[in-house]
Every structure is written in C-alpha cells, then in structure tokens.
Amino acid sequence: MSTQELVSVPDRSVQPGIEIAGTDRIVLREAVRLLEGPSFTARLASLAGTPVAILGRALPQSASEIISRATAAALSRAFGFVLKTVPQRDGQPRLRTHQALASLSGAVGGAFGLASLPIELPVSTTIILRAIAQIAQSEGEDLSRPEAALACLQVFALGGQAGSPHLHESSYFAVRTALAKSVAEAARQIAGRGVLDRSAHAITRLLTQIGARFGITVSQKVAAQAVPVLGALGGAAVNAAFTNHFQSLARGHFIVRRLERTYGKESVRSAYEQIRAEEGL
C-alpha cells in the first residue's frame, strides 16, 4: 500500500453549509445523547451504591501507579492486536458478545482486586477496542487508513472527559480538539512508515494523551470493584457497564464522523451544538 493510499483523502462529495435535516438530524440527535449523556461514574452509582468518584480520588498512590502502568500497557497492546484481527465485513457488530466477554474478565478483576489489573485490563481493553473497530466499520470507516484506525483509539479518551471549560463547547468536541494535533502527527508518521508502528514517537505521545483520560475511567472502575459487597459478581457487572459505556461513545463518535464525510465538519458541529442546547446537555 502506498503512502498516498494511507493518508486520509478528503471526500469530494462533501457539501459544507448544507443543513442537516430529516433522518440524518434524527441520527445526529442520537449521537449527541450518546456522547453528552450520563458519565461512567453515573452508570456506576446505581451499581455500587457508593460515591465512586470519591473512592477513585482516595485510591493510594501505589494503586494510582499500578493503574497508570496498566492503562498504558493495555492501550498499546490492544492497538497492536485488534486492528490486525478485525475482519473486513459488513453487518452489525456483535456488541453483546463483547459485553459478555468483558464481563467474564471483570469477574476475575472483582475476585482478585487490584493485583489482577495488569492482566485483566489489557484483555478487557482489547475486547472493547475490537467492538469499537467493528462499530467504526458499520459506520463506513476504512480501518486500513491511519486516521480511521486512530479514531478508534480516540474513543477511550472520550470516556474520561471532564467537560469543556467553555460553556458553548461540547465535551466531545473539546476532547477531539485537544487530540487533533497528535492524531494528525501520528497519522502522518504511520503513513510515512507504511505500518501501524506502536513504537513511533507520535503514536507513543498520542497513547500517553489518551491514556491520561482513559486512566480516569479505569480508576473509577477499580474503585467500584474494590467495594467489598460487590465481589466477583459485581466485578462482572462493573465491566459490563465499562464496556457498554465505551460502545455507546463509539456509536456516537462514528455517527458524527460519517455525517462529517457527507456534510463537512463545520456543518455537523454547528448542528451538534444546536441539538445539545435543545437537549440541555
């Protein structure tokens, strides 16, 4: 595959400035609700019956260091594995299968606690990234292109968003803006080498940025699994919520990207922010 083929090529059919209406606006509204809806902490609150965010901040330094290392390793290994094994196929992704597998790995985490995280997290992250990649394909993404492959990784950063400091700006687009430069540099570096190289400097920097946000969500997950009353069954439930959270974000993310290929980024973002205001999100 040539360098030109690897670089993302603009869609000449895009007509910026065209109003998004009808079915596409309905679908965009769904994406807004998925991307700006309840946080992972809110999902966990109903499971744990405990202020998980407080527990996450109270984790000892040693636990935070384990989480940081496990998160970095999980993203790197998952990225190197999943994009080589996702089949190029049509049809809907098998999300329930991925949720079941992630629940099983979560049961191990719930039973053995923090000590199992370096083993359990790479497994569950790979399962989730595989689901994300299949969602991307179902929305028309070509994962042989670096920019599309990196868009799958971006989903993990969306899970750790804390909201934009600017009231007029969505959390979703704030995260994409924060990562835009690193994503572009990583895509260029991959295109130059012709391979998805995890050791490339730009890829390493992007994984670090994503890992910092992903680590917030992982800390919340660990805190919930540490609640004694939950046990192994609770670990499975937490991982099911963890998986479902990122699958929902992926669906919204790739709906937005699909519409951007048709209407242009500015038109989609404008409509997105209008819908977000209407929904009060």
Side-chain angles (χ1 to χ4, degrees):
M1 183 175 290
S2 69
T3 298
Q4 287 183 334
E5 289 174 322
L6 281 165
V7 176
S8 180
V9 178
D11 186 347
R12 300 301 180 187
S13 66
V14 167
Q15 302 180 51
I18 301 298
E19 182 182 359
I20 301 174
T23 302
D24 283 342
R25 193 171 184 90
I26 293 173
V27 172
L28 181 58
R29 187 176 296 276
E30 176 191 0
V32 172
R33 290 170 176 168
L34 290 171
L35 291 164
E36 306 291 341
S39 66
F40 181 59
T41 304
R43 291 173 183 263
L44 287 177
S46 61
L47 288 175
T50 300
V52 177
I54 296 176
L55 286 174
R57 289 196 297 269
L59 290 173
Q61 182 63 30
S62 58
S64 298
E65 291 172 357
I66 291 173
I67 291 169
S68 178
R69 289 195 298 269
T71 298
L75 285 174
S76 180
R77 292 173 187 173
F79 178 62
F81 172 77
V82 76
L83 296 179
K84 296 178 182 178
T85 61
V86 173
Q88 295 292 328
R89 66 178 183 86
D90 296 324
Q92 293 300 311
R94 299 172 181 175
L95 302 186
R96 290 185 180 179
T97 300
H98 294 111
Q99 288 175 4
L101 292 172
S103 296
L104 182 60
S105 68
V108 175
F112 297 98
L114 188 62
S116 68
L117 189 68
I119 298 172
E120 181 266 321
L121 187 61
V123 173
S124 59
T125 302
T126 298
I127 292 169
I128 294 169
L129 184 53
R130 187 176 176 87
I132 290 171
Q134 290 184 353
I135 290 170
Q137 288 177 326
S138 74
E139 294 294 338
E141 299 281 354
D142 178 1
L143 297 185
S144 68
R145 295 188 179 279
E147 196 268 344
L150 295 174
C152 293
L153 278 180
Q154 282 182 287
V155 174
F156 289 107
L158 301 176
Q161 56 188 290
S164 171
H166 306 293
L167 294 178
H168 66 281
E169 186 177 54
S170 70
S171 295
Y172 168 66
F173 279 107
V175 173
R176 281 186 65 177
T177 299
L179 295 176
K181 182 178 179 180
S182 294
V183 168
E185 291 176 352
R188 283 196 296 270
Q189 194 162 51
I190 292 170
R193 297 188 181 196
V195 293
L196 294 171
D197 183 0
R198 285 174 290 165
S199 66
H201 177 66
I203 288 289
T204 300
R205 184 168 61 250
L206 178 61
L207 287 173
T208 298
Q209 285 183 280
I210 294 173
R213 294 177 181 274
F214 183 42
I216 295 172
T217 313
V218 173
S219 294
Q220 294 166 348
K221 180 175 93 77
V222 170
Q225 289 176 319
V227 176
V229 71
L230 290 179
L233 179 60
V238 169
N239 246 34
F242 187 67
T243 303
N244 181 263
H245 180 61
F246 284 106
Q247 287 177 345
S248 296
L249 292 171
R251 176 65 70 192
H253 180 47
F254 289 108
I255 286 173
V256 170
R257 284 175 55 86
R258 173 171 59 79
L259 294 175
E260 286 176 343
R261 291 193 293 274
T262 301
Y263 296 96
K265 291 184 178 181
E266 291 304 317
S267 293
V268 173
R269 182 164 184 167
S270 176
Y272 184 105
E273 298 295 3
Q274 289 174 2
I275 293 171
R276 187 174 69 94
E278 292 168 3
E279 295 284 332
L281 297 172

